[in-house]
Amino acid sequence: MLLQSFIVHLERRFPVDLKGKRVLVAVSGGVDSMVLAHLLRSAGIDIGLAHFNYQLRGADSEADAALVQETASHWELPFFSKTFPLKQYLAERGGSLQLEARNLRYEWLEQIRQEKGFDYIATAHHLEDALETMLQHFMRGAGLKGLTGIPPVNGLIIRPLLFAAREDIERYARDSHLVWREDASNATDDYDRNRIRHQVLPVLKDLNANWRETVLQNFQQLSETAEVFDWAIAHLRQQGFTSLGNGVYRIDPAVCPQPGMWPTLLFEWLRPFGFGSTQVADICRTEHQSGALWYSAGWELLKDRTQFFLRKKENDPSEAVYYLGQEQKELCVPGGSFSRMEASPNLAKDRRTACLDAGSLNWPLVVRKWRAGDWFCPLGMQGKRQKLQDFFTHQKMTRFEKEQVWILQSGADICWVAGHRLDERFKVSEGTTQIVCLEWKPARVDKPH
């Protein structure tokens, strides 16, 4: 029976000990998440149920939420819910429905976890989910880690059901007389994952009657191989990737045991510095002469005879910082200027102007380019955090466009992505007593004759 297998899995194989821990279970109302919640509860784990309603399916979405709430009440468990108009959000800002849904859900779950004192967030991914993910990664192009499926533990997100097949989960739900709801979109082939689920997996299962054991064994072997791979990369890095101080590193290809390993080894070393696989393939070509240079967003790689030297770009625009004083009327920066304006109802309609609550500002304002790790709370997202990199991606901005954007920072917080979006925390509200209005004026670029 699945419950006994689940308990044994938690006690003997699962990487995290859940005894005495509080687990927030993400429950959609579908069979997988309802079974996971029931298994954890039956195993004596202290849980709460969390449901995110995207309002994508009208009355069906409301019925999903109602089922999860009723289940939590019947089981006498804490219940948390969030309703978000995802279609409207995407219509206004664009982006991938699946990606945005996932990001919003996980951000909210983490918020609830912290606020309510849960130790982990549990999701109901199962064995077929892991296999579908591996096949997707394989067909899109992935390294060794991409072929290990879905990790059972990712930070504070746990997936205790990865050992179980969908058939076993559905049987357990029926035997336990659980109530769940089916999402009609799961029966279509509108998404790549669904096509794999409906058209590819049945063939693979027909080819091997013991497919469960085979898949689990393969994932285990691939995970162990990935650990050896990571160890080897780190071990060779200690020998061939040397810090020379002041942010400069020397890379010695001579430490590579075999020439055929060099592209993979160099890619793993350079990936954290923003270099991609195509660049690395070019770098590894033997015809490049001493003095050749390659660039990532913040780093440059120099070939010098048989070795390489990696250093931060000189005059990196992300390092330029200016200050706008409280009484200052204008600030000129490369590519344009900022100026103070009188408040007007029409200003809010122009992305090049920002009306800020003066009481929330810490002077002087810092004016700089964006940096990796920057985040803000875009106006219209009800105070939700978003990384600037993700914001730019959603705006479909090119690398050159991103490099031209100036950030206004109040204290430690970004208050305006100039020319693009105000931060929710600094907007003018009913309680605002004084308004500061700023205008961003890009420099005029003369067209060549």
Side-chain angles (χ1 to χ4, degrees):
M1 185 176 177
L2 184 59
L3 178 57
Q4 281 71 35
S5 299
F6 183 76
I7 293 174
V8 170
H9 178 69
L10 291 185
E11 292 178 347
R12 300 181 184 178
R13 303 185 187 92
F14 198 63
V16 171
D17 184 2
L18 297 182
K19 291 180 180 178
K21 304 297 184 180
R22 299 189 70 218
V23 178
L24 181 66
V25 187
V27 182
S28 66
V31 64
D32 303 332
S33 57
M34 296 295 284
V35 165
L36 174 61
H38 192 271
L39 287 170
L40 286 168
R41 177 172 177 267
S42 300
I45 307 299
D46 184 5
I47 66 171
L49 307 189
H51 178 80
F52 200 109
N53 180 0
Y54 300 105
Q55 296 185 312
L56 291 175
R57 299 182 294 114
D60 285 339
S61 292
E62 302 306 317
D64 293 345
L67 172 62
V68 180
Q69 183 175 15
E70 291 168 4
T71 301
S73 176
H74 179 67
W75 291 349
E76 298 182 343
L77 297 174
F79 173 70
F80 312 94
S81 65
K82 173 74 173 180
T83 300
F84 187 85
L86 184 57
K87 281 186 178 179
Q88 179 182 339
Y89 175 82
L90 293 175
E92 295 175 354
R93 296 168 179 80
S96 162
L97 185 148
Q98 290 182 311
L99 179 61
E100 291 295 338
R102 182 186 185 280
N103 290 341
L104 289 166
R105 180 174 69 255
Y106 277 112
E107 286 179 7
W108 174 72
L109 287 169
E110 174 59 18
Q111 178 185 344
I112 296 299
R113 187 198 68 78
Q114 294 184 27
E115 291 178 354
K116 304 301 180 181
F118 286 91
D119 298 290
Y120 297 100
I121 297 167
T123 65
H125 294 91
H126 52 75
L127 187 56
E128 279 97 331
D129 289 326
L131 183 54
E132 291 162 12
T133 297
M134 184 273 284
L135 292 172
Q136 278 187 305
H137 288 171
F138 183 83
M139 295 309 300
R140 292 173 181 172
L144 180 59
K145 288 185 179 179
L147 303 181
T148 58
I150 301 174
V153 178
N154 183 11
L156 297 177
I157 299 173
I158 62 173
R159 302 175 177 103
L161 209 51
L162 284 174
F163 75 97
R166 171 93 180 189
E167 179 183 352
D168 302 323
I169 293 170
E170 292 180 343
R171 182 185 302 111
Y172 179 85
R174 292 191 297 269
D175 293 345
S176 302
H177 306 291
L178 298 181
V179 179
W180 70 90
R181 290 183 52 79
E182 294 288 351
D183 184 343
S185 65
N186 290 333
T188 70
D189 285 344
D190 293 341
Y191 303 108
D192 290 345
R193 180 177 288 275
N194 285 12
R195 294 175 66 190
I196 293 173
R197 181 179 304 158
H198 299 146
Q199 300 179 31
V200 178
L201 291 194
V203 176
L204 297 180
K205 292 176 181 180
D206 285 342
L207 291 174
N208 185 351
N210 297 319
W211 70 271
R212 294 177 181 82
E213 293 76 12
T214 301
V215 171
L216 285 170
Q217 183 179 18
N218 285 338
F219 279 145
Q220 180 66 28
Q221 292 175 342
L222 286 168
S223 295
E224 293 171 356
T225 302
E227 291 182 9
V228 175
F229 176 82
D230 290 341
W231 174 87
I233 294 295
H235 177 72
L236 291 170
R237 190 182 192 278
Q238 291 177 352
Q239 303 175 44
F241 197 102
T242 308
S243 174
L244 302 180
N246 299 318
V248 179
Y249 301 90
R250 181 177 59 218
I251 301 174
D252 185 3
V255 305
C256 184
Q258 298 291 335
M261 301 178 183
W262 178 235
T264 298
L265 185 61
L266 185 62
F267 172 70
E268 293 298 330
W269 286 355
L270 291 180
R271 183 160 53 95
F273 299 92
F275 289 88
S277 57
T278 302
Q279 282 180 296
V280 171
D282 181 60
I283 294 167
C284 290
R285 294 193 181 99
T286 56
E287 67 265 21
H288 290 299
Q289 300 298 315
S290 181
L293 280 167
W294 296 266
Y295 300 93
S296 69
W299 295 80
E300 58 184 1
L301 184 72
L302 168 69
K303 183 176 183 181
D304 186 78
R305 297 178 176 85
T306 61
Q307 297 184 331
F308 295 89
F309 292 86
L310 179 70
R311 67 177 181 180
K312 290 202 74 171
K313 283 183 183 177
E314 296 181 0
N315 302 320
D316 190 339
S318 67
E319 300 298 326
V321 177
Y322 301 84
Y323 297 91
L324 180 63
Q326 188 168 6
E327 303 301 326
Q328 193 171 347
K329 299 299 183 183
E330 186 175 25
L331 172 67
C332 293
V333 296
S337 64
F338 293 92
S339 58
R340 297 282 289 268
M341 302 181 64
E342 293 294 327
S344 167
N346 294 324
L347 292 183
K349 302 177 182 178
D350 189 347
R351 292 194 305 173
R352 292 182 178 177
T353 62
C355 293
L356 305 162
D357 183 343
S360 64
L361 297 176
N362 293 318
W363 297 95
L365 299 182
V366 177
V367 181
R368 62 172 177 82
K369 293 297 182 73
W370 78 284
R371 301 166 185 160
D374 275 344
W375 62 270
F376 76 130
C377 300
L379 184 66
M381 286 184 60
Q382 293 78 45
K384 289 291 184 182
R385 290 173 46 160
Q386 185 177 44
K387 288 185 177 181
L388 277 184
Q389 176 64 59
D390 294 336
F391 174 77
F392 292 149
T393 299
H394 298 160
Q395 299 297 311
K396 299 181 179 179
M397 295 172 64
T398 66
R399 172 183 167 182
F400 294 151
E401 290 171 333
K402 289 186 284 187
E403 291 179 351
Q404 300 304 313
V405 174
W406 286 97
I407 305 299
L408 265 70
Q409 182 174 312
S410 170
D413 298 316
I414 292 174
C415 58
W416 185 30
V417 181
H420 294 276
R421 189 72 60 84
L422 186 70
D423 188 289
E424 181 83 23
R425 297 166 294 176
F426 295 87
K427 70 179 181 180
V428 175
S429 63
E430 293 181 358
T432 300
T433 58
Q434 187 176 359
I435 300 174
V436 172
C437 292
L438 300 173
E439 181 183 18
W440 163 244
K441 297 178 181 178
R444 185 171 63 90
V445 179
D446 292 327
K447 296 181 179 181
H449 296 290

